[in-house]
Amino acid sequence: MRVHHDRFEVRTHGQGLYEITDQLEAKIDRCRVRNGTVTVFIQHTSCSLLIMENADPTARRDLEEFFDRLVPEDADYFTHGSEGSDDMPSHIRMALTRTSETIPIVDDRMQLGTWQGIFLFEHRRAPHMRKVSVTIIGE
Amino acid sequence: MRVHHDRFEVRTHGQGLYEITDQLEAKIDRCRVRNGTVTVFIQHTSCSLLIMENADPTARRDLEEFFDRLVPEDADYFTHGSEGSDDMPSHIRMALTRTSETIPIVDDRMQLGTWQGIFLFEHRRAPHMRKVSVTIIGE
Amino acid sequence: MRVHHDRFEVRTHGQGLYEITDQLEAKIDRCRVRNGTVTVFIQHTSCSLLIMENADPTARRDLEEFFDRLVPEDADYFTHGSEGSDDMPSHIRMALTRTSETIPIVDDRMQLGTWQGIFLFEHRRAPHMRKVSVTIIGE
């Protein structure tokens, strides 16, 4: 049994879901853990993590639209907004989704369902470099 | 320290919470890890995982009703719906709850609070067979 | 590789976010695991866990206000309410946030982003003692 830490960055250019499944698979291949878990951890509070349907892009667009409507930018009670109108909604959309996920690694691969992809969910409009931390534990 | 992978299936017959605490306890008993963690991972994007109050069924019904109202089936902006009107809401309700949870195992048992039960949350109306992945790490 | 279990309690005095980052760092210091993961697990269904912006308190107040409005106490369809009007909303707000998070430990410290703090999110109005379970796996 051993622990292997790694990291990578994702360049985002506006709100939406960015698939990171392939980057994660590459990290797992490289560390040669055959059986265990991978913990994906987002080091930010204005973007988040989500395992979502990866086949049909309309499903992702509808999901993004749902969050836009559920957490509008112009709520009159927001007081935190020093970074703009997408500042506070980004923290709330993060709170409603995920910061960490732990996924089984079985025989060298993540044991995802047929339609599952792993996504970074960007909630800010401006371009950002986002840090994704990857911890693999296993044998 | 070792890793033990397992899986089981849950037959669902409509939307709602299905308790899986006993199935998980049985998997832990069988692999004889006394101290560590169990990671429960749902291999789907139209059902999810939730640790919820397991004593009073009215709490679960109210929670289901809340999600029905928060994510209605007839939102006019949904474009993804090839599998029916409960298709897109199921992905959104999944996104708002959980895909993985990691639970401590202490002295052979999950260290749950008095009122915590572990549930698969089915978001589709038609019957489904759902795959739950279980990874136990410990000694 | 080894497993280290620990626990601590948080005394809450009303709804809101209570930072627990320092208590977690102290537990990690004490068990002398240099590299691995820490799994934080909340043993309750009426409070939850959230990794949130820890710099500006207005961000936390706006987030609390959002959840107050999203899950109102007086929903006419709630049937579960034996413990008062904040009973059912507390379970729903828990379901929308987190019960467990797994965070990397790198060189003796949690690998949090610059603005990330770890919070217990209390959803009940009355004072409570809340149990937080901590499992550290690593070497």
Side-chain angles (χ1 to χ4, degrees):
Chain A
M1 288 283 296
R2 57 204 174 82
V3 179
H4 178 85
H5 290 300
D6 211 327
R7 280 212 278 185
F8 62 93
E9 291 189 317
V10 179
R11 187 183 296 273
T12 64
H13 41 85
Q15 296 169 325
L17 290 155
Y18 294 80
E19 186 156 14
I20 58 173
T21 313
D22 288 351
Q23 287 98 309
L24 290 166
E25 285 290 5
K27 295 296 184 193
I28 292 164
D29 282 351
R30 206 168 146 184
C31 85
R32 296 177 191 281
V33 162
R34 285 188 56 85
N35 283 289
T37 57
V38 54
T39 295
V40 187
F41 183 84
I42 300 291
Q43 292 185 285
H44 302 275
T45 63
S46 58
C47 66
S48 56
L49 187 67
L50 193 60
I51 297 177
M52 177 59 190
E53 217 261 27
N54 72 347
D56 183 353
T58 65
R60 300 200 289 280
R61 282 202 298 272
D62 287 355
L63 184 116
E64 291 161 12
E65 178 77 18
F66 173 83
F67 279 97
D68 283 356
R69 289 165 182 248
L70 185 68
V71 194
E73 293 206 356
D74 52 0
D76 55 12
Y77 63 88
F78 287 162
T79 57
H80 175 85
S82 52
E83 295 183 27
S85 63
D86 60 338
D87 184 356
M88 195 57 226
S90 74
H91 296 307
I92 296 172
R93 292 170 193 171
M94 175 282 299
L96 291 167
T97 48
R98 331 276 170 81
T99 296
S100 72
E101 289 283 2
T102 298
I103 303 150
I105 299 171
V106 179
D107 297 337
D108 293 323
R109 292 186 64 82
M110 287 188 287
Q111 197 176 38
L112 295 172
T114 312
W115 310 111
Q116 284 182 314
I118 305 168
F119 294 85
L120 183 137
F121 198 175
E122 177 60 73
H123 304 299
R124 302 303 306 269
R125 263 197 300 272
H128 280 81
M129 283 297 278
R130 298 306 201 170
K131 289 175 208 154
V132 181
S133 167
V134 182
T135 303
I136 296 162
I137 291 182
E139 58 197 8
Chain B
M1 290 283 295
R2 56 203 173 86
V3 179
H4 178 85
H5 290 299
D6 211 327
R7 280 213 279 185
F8 62 92
E9 291 189 319
V10 179
R11 187 183 295 274
T12 64
H13 41 87
Q15 296 170 325
L17 291 156
Y18 295 80
E19 187 157 14
I20 58 173
T21 314
D22 289 350
Q23 287 98 311
L24 290 167
E25 285 290 5
K27 296 296 186 194
I28 293 163
D29 281 353
R30 206 168 146 184
C31 84
R32 297 177 191 279
V33 162
R34 284 189 55 84
N35 282 289
T37 57
V38 54
T39 295
V40 187
F41 183 83
I42 299 291
Q43 292 185 286
H44 304 274
T45 62
S46 58
C47 66
S48 57
L49 186 67
L50 192 61
I51 296 178
M52 178 57 190
E53 216 259 31
N54 72 347
D56 183 353
T58 65
R60 300 200 289 280
R61 281 202 298 271
D62 287 355
L63 184 116
E64 291 161 13
E65 178 77 20
F66 172 83
F67 279 97
D68 283 355
R69 288 165 182 247
L70 184 68
V71 194
E73 293 205 355
D74 51 1
D76 55 13
Y77 62 89
F78 287 162
T79 57
H80 175 85
S82 52
E83 295 184 28
S85 63
D86 61 339
D87 184 356
M88 195 58 226
S90 73
H91 296 307
I92 296 172
R93 292 170 192 171
M94 174 283 297
L96 291 167
T97 49
R98 330 277 169 79
T99 297
S100 73
E101 290 283 3
T102 298
I103 303 149
I105 300 171
V106 179
D107 297 337
D108 294 322
R109 291 185 65 82
M110 288 187 287
Q111 198 177 37
L112 296 172
T114 311
W115 309 112
Q116 284 181 313
I118 305 169
F119 294 84
L120 183 137
F121 198 175
E122 177 60 74
H123 304 301
R124 302 302 308 268
R125 264 196 300 272
H128 279 82
M129 281 299 277
R130 298 304 201 172
K131 290 176 208 155
V132 181
S133 167
V134 182
T135 303
I136 296 162
I137 292 182
E139 58 197 9
Chain C
M1 290 285 294
R2 56 204 175 83
V3 179
H4 178 85
H5 290 299
D6 211 328
R7 280 212 279 185
F8 61 93
E9 291 189 319
V10 179
R11 187 183 296 274
T12 64
H13 41 85
Q15 295 169 327
L17 290 156
Y18 295 79
E19 187 158 14
I20 59 173
T21 313
D22 288 351
Q23 287 99 309
L24 290 166
E25 285 289 4
K27 296 297 184 192
I28 293 164
D29 282 352
R30 206 169 147 182
C31 85
R32 297 177 191 279
V33 163
R34 285 187 57 83
N35 283 290
T37 57
V38 53
T39 295
V40 186
F41 183 83
I42 300 291
Q43 292 186 286
H44 303 275
T45 62
S46 59
C47 66
S48 57
L49 187 66
L50 192 61
I51 297 179
M52 177 59 189
E53 217 259 27
N54 71 347
D56 183 353
T58 65
R60 300 200 289 280
R61 282 202 298 271
D62 287 354
L63 184 115
E64 291 160 13
E65 178 77 18
F66 173 83
F67 279 97
D68 282 356
R69 287 165 183 247
L70 184 67
V71 194
E73 293 205 356
D74 51 0
D76 55 12
Y77 62 88
F78 287 162
T79 58
H80 175 84
S82 52
E83 294 184 29
S85 63
D86 61 338
D87 184 355
M88 195 57 226
S90 73
H91 296 307
I92 295 172
R93 292 170 192 171
M94 174 282 297
L96 291 167
T97 48
R98 329 276 169 80
T99 296
S100 73
E101 290 282 3
T102 298
I103 303 150
I105 300 170
V106 180
D107 297 337
D108 294 324
R109 291 186 66 82
M110 288 188 286
Q111 197 176 39
L112 296 172
T114 312
W115 309 112
Q116 284 182 313
I118 305 169
F119 295 85
L120 184 138
F121 198 174
E122 177 60 74
H123 304 300
R124 302 303 307 268
R125 265 197 300 273
H128 280 81
M129 282 298 278
R130 298 306 202 171
K131 290 177 207 153
V132 181
S133 168
V134 182
T135 303
I136 296 162
I137 291 182
E139 56 197 10

